[in-house]
Amino acid sequence: MTRLLSVVLTGLSTGSIYALVALGFVLLYKAAGVVNFAHGSLLLLGTYVTARTWETVGFPAAVGLGVLTGAGAALVIQRLLAEQMRDAAPVALAIMTIGVDIVLSTELSRRMGPDITVLGHPWGGAAVRLGAVAVPANRAIALGVAALVIAAFLLAFRFTGWGVAMRAAAEDPEAAALVGVRVRRVVTTSWMLAGGLAVVAGIFLAGSPTPGLSPAVGLVALRALPAAILGGLDSTTGALVGGLIVGVAEGLAAGYQDELAVFGRGSGEVVPYIVMIAVLLIRPAGLFGTRAAGRV
């Protein structure tokens, strides 16, 4: 029982980080209909800036610089590339972001080299104990931060002018523009928020039990994408639920890998995609996604 509880708590804490990344996918898809495959590179870029500056300016200021870098890089991609392709097919925009991801990740990998970079988390390798189960404080804090951030976005979508504008822009951009919604501003804000959220997730990913920052941290976006899809690409709640489902499923596969040895070592890495496929077979729009209406 203790083993199961430990695995589930670890999965929930990891899933909360996936949820932050998935929320970035959802924000951008709701506002602009774009799936940004460069999300992992933005995560890596902002986290790298934090890792390089925390000794000089302190950890809180370094986190701020990292988040601003991620948001600024997302803004550059949106203004210089995505906006110029706004009339292109969604698949063309997706391919463009894949190209950006390759360029950014290659350059960052070259700069980082094979070394692991420490981010200087104030809580270090401390653990939070729940009875006989210990969870790294870094992951416990990530779970709390993810819950607060997603709750804040849920409230913002429902009760703020920006949230109403985003919902209107997502439903019908042309009609929204006609009634005074500044669709361009909504899209730009969504790009920047998604970039900043990715960095917040990256900072937690590079903390305990992970030894530090390496180029592999950027690959987390590939695991968070199934979370966003199975939860529903247009659902904020789906980002949270999808992230937690993927995290727990991945944790169970890793925690019981001896019992699952028949499927081969490292099978936990494909679990997010297996879960995603299983959910989409039953609910093609995801657990909380909006089903498209059609005429028959």
Side-chain angles (χ1 to χ4, degrees):
M1 188 63 185
T2 300
R3 179 187 180 189
L4 177 61
L5 181 59
S6 175
V7 167
V8 170
L9 288 175
T10 300
L12 287 173
S13 60
T14 303
S16 67
I17 301 176
Y18 291 162
L20 286 174
V21 183
L23 180 59
F25 282 113
V26 169
L27 281 175
L28 204 48
Y29 187 81
K30 283 173 71 74
V34 177
V35 178
N36 180 19
F37 288 98
H39 215 53
S41 293
L42 295 177
L43 180 155
L44 193 60
L45 174 62
T47 309
Y48 176 71
V49 169
T50 300
R52 289 300 184 194
T53 58
W54 72 270
E55 290 184 304
T56 304
V57 302
F59 184 74
V63 169
L65 287 173
V67 170
L68 288 174
T69 299
L75 175 63
V76 170
I77 295 171
Q78 188 262 331
R79 288 293 173 87
L80 295 185
L81 298 173
E83 192 166 278
Q84 308 307 315
M85 299 175 64
R86 60 182 176 273
D87 296 325
V91 66
L93 284 167
I95 292 171
M96 178 273 291
T97 63
I98 292 173
V100 172
D101 180 68
I102 292 171
V103 171
L104 271 177
S105 61
T106 300
E107 175 59 20
L108 287 168
S109 296
R110 183 187 68 81
R111 287 181 176 274
M112 282 189 256
D115 298 331
I116 301 294
T117 307
V118 177
L119 259 73
H121 297 81
W123 46 86
V128 175
R129 287 203 161 271
L130 297 172
V133 178
V135 177
N138 178 65
R139 294 296 171 87
I141 294 170
L143 182 59
V145 169
L148 288 174
V149 167
I150 292 177
F153 273 101
L154 284 170
L155 292 173
F157 286 140
R158 187 174 181 85
F159 298 112
T160 69
W162 173 77
V164 173
M166 171 172 275
R167 283 188 282 132
E171 185 68 28
D172 191 331
E174 293 182 1
L178 287 174
V179 297
V181 174
R182 296 183 178 181
V183 176
R184 184 173 185 240
R185 178 181 292 181
V186 170
V187 171
T188 298
T189 303
S190 299
W191 273 91
M192 295 179 69
L193 285 172
L197 282 171
V199 177
V200 173
I203 289 168
F204 284 117
L205 277 171
S208 178
T210 306
L213 178 66
S214 69
V217 170
L219 297 176
V220 69
L222 295 179
R223 297 185 183 181
L225 182 56
I229 292 174
L230 73 87
L233 264 175
D234 60 352
S235 171
T236 308
T237 303
L240 174 60
V241 174
L244 295 179
I245 289 174
V246 167
V248 171
E250 192 177 277
L252 288 170
Y256 291 90
Q257 60 182 341
D258 291 336
E259 289 81 352
L260 300 173
V262 65
F263 298 107
R265 292 288 177 179
S267 58
E269 296 181 5
V270 302
V271 164
Y273 304 95
I274 295 173
V275 173
M276 178 188 72
I277 292 170
V279 170
L280 293 182
L281 285 173
I282 301 169
R283 294 184 63 88
L287 294 173
F288 297 91
T290 303
R291 294 185 177 184
R295 293 183 177 181
V296 293

